[in-house]
Amino acid sequence: MGVSWVLELFDTSTVTIETKLIVAGAELVGGYTVDSTPYKPSEQGISHFYLLHHSQFPQSAFSIAHQDTYKCSPRASHDRGFDLILHKLNVGLQADTAGKFEVAGNELKLQDFRIRIGLATQNTIAKGVIVEVEYSPSSVVTQAMPVLTEFIEHFFPDSVESKPEVLKKTAPEPYSALETLYQYSLLFSVMRKRAN
Amino acid sequence: MSDEEKGDANNEYLAQIYQRKECILWGSIYATNLIDLENRLAGICDPGCTPFHEHEMSFSLKTTQTPDVTLRLRRKFHTETTSSNQWRFRYVGRPEPDPNCPVVVRKVIDSVAHSQNMMEFVKTLGLRLDYEYMAKGKVWTCGAIKIVVSSLKRTKQPGKYEVENLEKMSDSYLIELSVTINDSVDYHPIAKQLKAFSSQLSPLVELQKVEYWVK
């Protein structure tokens, strides 16, 4: 697993981005999906949090409760047994199916990069285009960032300034899939608040 | 298919993988007689045993509605560094109300989790700590049967797990005999097998169906 930069693109379509990448030599690898379900507390003392899944990690589930920064956000990665355990906690935490986000689209491979381009929907209502660019050879952010930034500069120059918080690291710490899902969940939060 | 129906179908699929039934019996033995039990187990079980030292914390989701939902979290315990971020979540359901069954049968769901701030995460879920203990012992297997022999310690000061803060809960070792089976399988034949196996440990240990839910 590499380091991923997840971004939202405006005034474009998934087909336009795919065409641009295919012209540059990318190959279609297959499809992918990401989903995020908010869990709402029904009692005091319980927090609002999100359960996410990514088709690249089919046996895993990721939970994140948003705080000011990633480091202070309570978070965990689990196997899918946790989905069932959460179901047992439904007296205090209930899945908000109306607030569920899904991203579905295609995955492309361009040399050492995997690019996932998908349409984000909330209950079948399109909310925006999300692109995940993964640099596969390294799972250390400080190592991967120069080349990942160059890729974003080349293909999506308008997004290069909005570098996600989890990619602003100075120490060579290992990157985890939870950080990719955190980026998705932040984008979903912004989309959720935005009127169509 | 609506999102809710999709969610239910997904949970059914996951239940086939993660939801199990556990048949279990408990007993205890004085530490001075442990060696006899270990020799007996070495004779009848699969070759070898696995030592373990784990920290278990039992949490409940306390709501105004009853009953509370209990979740147990376990991780490897080290007195030097208590910083293992790998945890096991376990949900244990209410026992089957079957007075004719010779063992306790209950639903269990296990899930492995990793978190750098697990205590904050469980607080987010609304879970509150009920009790905790450290279990040190060995696990034997005999086919599908799992035999866990452990001594339990508790901490005198919550949150402090250095050797000097730990005290034994008893001079006895706890013995647990269990089998987990697929949730859809009839548990009666397995329960009988487990009871029959327990009689092989008699008279060293008398394993019982402890009706812990009867107040």
Side-chain angles (χ1 to χ4, degrees):
Chain A
M1 198 204 101
V3 177
S4 290
W5 182 329
V6 186
L7 51 111
E8 186 187 356
L9 293 180
F10 300 93
D11 305 321
T12 184
S13 71
T14 52
V15 179
T16 315
I17 306 162
E18 276 174 33
T19 313
K20 192 172 167 184
L21 288 160
I22 288 167
V23 168
E27 295 161 30
L28 188 66
V29 180
Y32 88 104
T33 56
V34 176
D35 66 71
S36 163
T37 310
Y39 276 78
K40 281 184 169 174
S42 57
E43 301 267 338
Q44 284 190 336
I46 308 176
S47 305
H48 199 278
F49 81 101
Y50 299 92
L51 180 71
L52 296 108
H53 304 107
H54 193 309
S55 60
Q56 204 196 352
F57 316 105
Q59 287 299 325
S60 302
F62 304 88
S63 314
I64 300 159
H66 287 170
Q67 297 288 344
D68 297 340
T69 62
Y70 175 73
K71 287 264 182 205
C72 64
S73 298
R75 60 201 185 274
S77 43
H78 324 257
D79 62 30
R80 297 294 302 270
F82 188 71
D83 292 41
L84 289 179
I85 290 179
L86 263 187
H87 198 62
K88 300 288 180 192
L89 299 177
N90 64 6
V91 283
L93 277 166
Q94 278 171 347
D96 169 19
T97 44
K100 185 174 177 177
F101 261 82
E102 281 181 303
V103 180
N106 287 326
E107 179 175 329
L108 285 85
K109 184 175 185 287
L110 177 59
Q111 304 298 345
D112 289 0
F113 293 90
R114 297 265 171 165
I115 307 104
R116 302 180 183 94
I117 304 138
L119 184 68
T121 53
Q122 181 183 9
N123 271 327
T124 67
I125 300 165
K127 298 292 263 186
V129 174
I130 289 187
V131 176
E132 177 190 340
V133 181
E134 178 188 339
Y135 177 63
S136 306
S138 172
S139 58
V140 178
V141 173
T142 46
Q143 246 175 24
M145 271 328 276
V147 69
L148 195 52
T149 309
E150 205 177 311
F151 186 98
I152 302 288
E153 253 169 7
H154 183 78
F155 288 99
F156 316 111
D158 297 340
S159 303
V160 77
E161 292 303 320
S162 51
K163 192 197 276 186
E165 172 212 335
V166 290
L167 300 180
K168 290 176 187 164
K169 288 186 184 176
T170 46
E173 299 164 37
Y175 182 84
S176 81
L178 194 56
E179 289 167 271
T180 303
L181 275 301
Y182 179 72
Q183 295 182 55
Y184 272 104
S185 73
L186 286 182
L187 289 179
F188 295 151
S189 294
V190 173
M191 288 176 169
R192 192 173 284 119
K193 285 174 195 157
R194 195 165 58 210
N196 279 319
Chain B
M1 199 187 270
S2 72
D3 270 1
E4 220 154 293
E5 285 168 338
K6 257 196 253 174
D8 287 347
N10 190 31
N11 277 350
E12 265 172 45
Y13 162 74
L14 291 174
Q16 286 172 17
I17 305 169
Y18 292 99
Q19 191 161 294
R20 313 274 294 168
K21 253 191 207 123
E22 181 184 54
C23 301
I24 187 160
L25 284 171
W26 290 274
S28 70
I29 189 166
Y30 273 128
T32 45
N33 301 328
L34 182 68
I35 187 71
D36 297 328
L37 177 67
E38 289 194 339
N39 287 338
R40 176 75 60 89
L41 289 171
I44 58 178
C45 292
D46 301 333
C49 63
T50 311
F52 71 92
H53 194 181
E54 291 180 331
H55 178 194
E56 174 155 329
M57 303 174 101
S58 178
F59 292 88
S60 293
L61 177 69
K62 292 194 192 317
T63 63
T64 46
Q65 300 168 44
T66 51
D68 295 344
V69 186
T70 303
L71 279 190
R72 292 149 202 233
L73 267 78
R74 265 200 183 222
R75 67 170 166 182
K76 274 189 184 170
F77 180 75
H78 307 283
T79 44
E80 301 299 313
T81 52
T82 52
S83 58
S84 166
N85 290 330
Q86 192 84 41
W87 293 80
R88 196 183 78 198
F89 275 67
R90 169 165 259 222
Y91 164 83
V92 179
R94 291 180 75 76
E96 299 277 340
D98 183 349
N100 299 323
C101 180
V103 305
V104 172
V105 181
R106 55 194 193 176
K107 277 185 183 164
V108 292
I109 304 169
D110 283 307
S111 170
V112 174
H114 182 276
S115 174
Q116 284 168 325
N117 51 4
M118 186 55 91
M119 288 305 108
E120 276 101 79
F121 181 72
V122 292
K123 216 188 274 178
T124 302
L125 298 181
L127 300 169
R128 300 287 174 264
L129 182 68
D130 286 331
Y131 59 87
E132 59 178 332
Y133 61 84
M134 272 50 75
K136 188 177 186 180
K138 291 173 184 170
V139 184
W140 277 266
T141 56
C142 182
I145 300 173
K146 191 166 85 172
I147 305 103
V148 181
V149 179
S150 58
S151 78
L152 309 184
K153 283 187 178 178
R154 63 180 157 217
T155 174
K156 286 184 257 183
Q157 281 178 285
K160 298 204 168 173
Y161 306 107
E162 293 83 14
V163 184
E164 58 273 19
N165 281 317
L166 302 181
E167 61 179 5
K168 268 190 186 176
M169 285 170 81
S170 132
D171 286 334
S172 299
Y173 274 70
L174 174 71
I175 320 294
E176 289 170 293
L177 232 61
S178 65
V179 181
T180 59
I181 53 172
N182 199 310
D183 194 26
S184 55
V185 172
D186 175 25
Y187 59 81
H188 289 95
I190 309 289
K192 278 184 191 154
Q193 272 178 31
L194 190 67
K195 187 69 188 167
F197 181 86
S198 75
S199 63
Q200 293 190 53
L201 302 180
S202 177
L204 293 167
V205 189
E206 294 296 338
L207 289 133
Q208 292 174 356
K209 175 183 182 181
V210 181
E211 296 187 339
Y212 56 85
W213 58 95
V214 178
K215 286 181 181 168

